[in-house]
Amino acid sequence: NAGVTQTPKFQVLKTGQSMTLQCAQDMNHNSMYWYRQDPGMGLRLIYYSASEGTTDKGEVPNGYNVSRLNKREFSLRLESAAPSQTSVYFCASSGTQNQPQHFGDGTRLSIL
Amino acid sequence: AQSVTQLDSHVSVSEGTPVLLRCNYSSSYSPSLFWYVQHPNKGLQLLLKYTSAATLVKGINGFEAEFKKSETSFHLTKPSAHMSDAAEYFCVVSDGSGGYNKLIFGAGTRLAVHP
């Protein structure tokens, strides 16, 4: 019962490099989400996908792009990494409206 | 607009004593409310949820929370703290009005448990 799987777990980038964070869920959930977590700020929504084939901006989308590859997979791309994007990134999924979200273990990303 | 305020950024208790983590919310709708726990270097795990059924909600690991509409509060309690409860706790309100499960997170409360 893997739930939500994120890869990689850790990554260090240089400013200007690009990278894609991967997320996959095996719970047949319709909705998937990407968050970033910064100290003292809780989690902030970057992008979400309410269902396969759709994506929408969340609270802090600038500097990111996403792809809902299929029902299972939702990737987050940094085209040109900046030090302000140093954070812990969490992927989550949920079934229907108002159902709890299930989270992966996160990707710790440092940008130098 | 919906919002969540966790009234304490840090709480410290002794093992075996009660735990109280405070949360107030603001919501224009009948809210769904959650508490999540995050252990170091791990993702968030659901402790419990309130979805307009019973106002006293029981969760995992002996935690419970009471929904008080008049006080717009959803405080998390546990009668007796265990060392393994040391973690960060997030109070969360769900805004399902947009057709998806948008979560609004509090800033978190870090719970320390001392022997």
Side-chain angles (χ1 to χ4, degrees):
Chain A
N1 54 347
V4 178
T5 302
Q6 292 183 235
T7 55
K9 295 188 185 302
F10 303 92
Q11 185 70 48
V12 179
L13 295 177
K14 294 181 179 179
T15 297
Q17 287 185 315
S18 62
M19 173 165 189
T20 300
L21 308 185
Q22 306 287 352
C23 175
Q25 53 92 7
D26 62 3
M27 296 172 284
N28 201 34
H29 284 165
N30 290 314
S31 301
M32 298 185 72
Y33 314 82
W34 276 105
Y35 294 90
R36 61 178 289 172
Q37 183 180 30
D38 301 293
M41 300 185 73
L43 273 71
R44 293 181 292 167
L45 184 66
I46 304 171
Y47 271 93
Y48 68 95
S49 171
S51 60
E52 185 179 357
T54 69
T55 61
D56 286 284
K57 295 178 180 179
E59 182 183 355
V60 288
N62 291 345
Y64 305 95
N65 286 300
V66 291
S67 295
R68 183 75 182 267
L69 304 170
N70 48 55
K71 191 170 186 178
R72 289 187 66 248
E73 298 172 288
F74 188 38
S75 63
L76 178 72
R77 182 161 178 84
L78 287 70
E79 290 290 352
S80 178
S84 60
Q85 294 178 304
T86 292
S87 189
V88 183
Y89 291 86
F90 288 97
C91 178
S93 69
S94 68
T96 58
Q97 183 173 321
N98 286 335
Q99 290 299 305
Q101 292 182 13
H102 298 259
F103 287 81
D105 284 345
T107 294
R108 284 147 186 84
L109 183 61
S110 293
I111 299 162
L112 308 177
Chain B
Q2 303 207 62
S3 65
V4 176
T5 302
Q6 292 183 242
L7 300 172
D8 307 290
S9 59
H10 292 83
V11 170
S12 181
V13 301
S14 297
E15 189 175 22
T17 64
V19 175
L20 170 64
L21 305 183
R22 298 182 295 164
C23 173
N24 287 348
Y25 70 92
S26 170
S27 174
S28 303
Y29 306 92
S30 295
S32 291
L33 293 159
F34 308 86
W35 276 97
Y36 281 85
V37 61
Q38 184 181 29
H39 291 278
N41 299 316
K42 301 294 286 184
L44 280 72
Q45 179 186 15
L46 180 68
L47 272 180
L48 51 80
K49 63 178 179 179
Y50 166 79
T51 55
S52 74
T55 56
L56 183 62
V57 182
K58 294 188 182 299
I60 62 172
N61 300 334
F63 284 94
E64 62 182 36
E66 186 171 9
F67 173 72
K68 292 186 176 180
K69 186 174 181 179
S70 61
E71 299 176 9
T72 61
S73 69
F74 190 56
H75 301 334
L76 182 70
T77 60
K78 184 174 181 178
S80 177
H82 191 274
M83 295 296 290
S84 62
D85 294 328
E88 188 150 22
Y89 293 78
F90 293 94
C91 182
V92 183
V93 62
S94 174
D95 177 0
S97 62
Y100 73 98
N101 187 14
K102 179 180 178 181
L103 299 185
I104 310 297
F105 286 80
T109 297
R110 186 165 298 277
L111 175 65
V113 182
H114 302 286

